[in-house]
Amino acid sequence: PDKNPRYLMGVGKPQEIVMAVSMGIDIFDCVIPTRNARNGTLYTWDGKILIKSARYEKDCLPVDPKCRCYACRNFSRAFMRYLFHHNELLSMRLNTLHNLYFYFSLMKKIRKAIVKKRFGEFMKRFFEKYPFEEEKDEGSVSD
């Protein structure tokens, strides 16, 4: 029934969520934000980054300068990369914290855009940073 929330299980990349919301989906359940965090993929407002990349070895910026999560307010990309490469449990925790914060913020922005009747504009801007593309699963064992 139209009055009831619509649930979609197993879909969880940011661009998939935005597209599903445009089709009327209300509730999501997926391991992508946490599994990808544990494997070094972090979502930012400028697109996803692989914190394990050598390019972040001396990067003093937070994972996402636009993010207010605990990890971004307190640690640099270089430190997050260091933790990841040394298999520190703190790496998985901070990465997961960041990705969940990003997802909660994404849903908050989606709700705000819908209420303001600007979801189409939001979607257009969002897909500039998160286009649909053919990619391998970030959580695979080979990472």
Side-chain angles (χ1 to χ4, degrees), residues 39-57:
N39 287 285
T41 298
L42 303 176
Y43 296 99
T44 77
W45 292 107
D46 290 317
K48 71 179 183 179
I49 68 169
L50 301 175
I51 201 64
K52 54 190 165 187
S53 296
R55 69 188 294 189
Y56 302 117
E57 187 173 12

Side-chain angles (χ1 to χ4, degrees), residues 18 26 40 54-55 66 74 87 95 116 129 134 138:
V18 172
D26 303 295
R55 69 188 294 189
K66 299 172 189 164
N74 291 286
N87 297 314
N95 290 351
K116 290 187 171 194
K129 300 294 181 178
E134 195 66 36
E138 292 92 347

Side-chain angles (χ1 to χ4, degrees), residues 58-72:
K58 296 181 184 194
D59 191 333
C60 294
L61 290 173
V63 167
D64 185 351
K66 299 172 189 164
C67 180
R68 298 296 304 148
C69 79
Y70 180 80
C72 288

Side-chain angles (χ1 to χ4, degrees), residues 94-132:
L94 291 174
N95 290 351
T96 297
L97 178 77
H98 170 78
N99 275 0
L100 289 176
Y101 191 96
F102 173 84
Y103 272 70
F104 292 142
S105 297
L106 173 62
M107 295 310 293
K108 186 175 182 180
K109 287 179 185 233
I110 288 171
R111 281 190 301 272
K112 186 176 180 181
I114 290 169
V115 167
K116 290 187 171 194
K117 308 231 184 286
R118 294 181 170 215
F119 183 71
E121 294 169 36
F122 170 83
M123 219 166 90
K124 182 180 177 191
R125 284 191 324 272
F126 185 80
F127 284 128
E128 289 171 2
K129 300 294 181 178
Y130 281 93
F132 277 96

Side-chain angles (χ1 to χ4, degrees), residues 19-35:
M19 185 57 71
V21 168
S22 76
M23 295 179 203
I25 302 298
D26 303 295
I27 302 169
F28 304 88
D29 180 16
C30 187
V31 301
I32 285 177
T34 55
R35 184 186 61 203

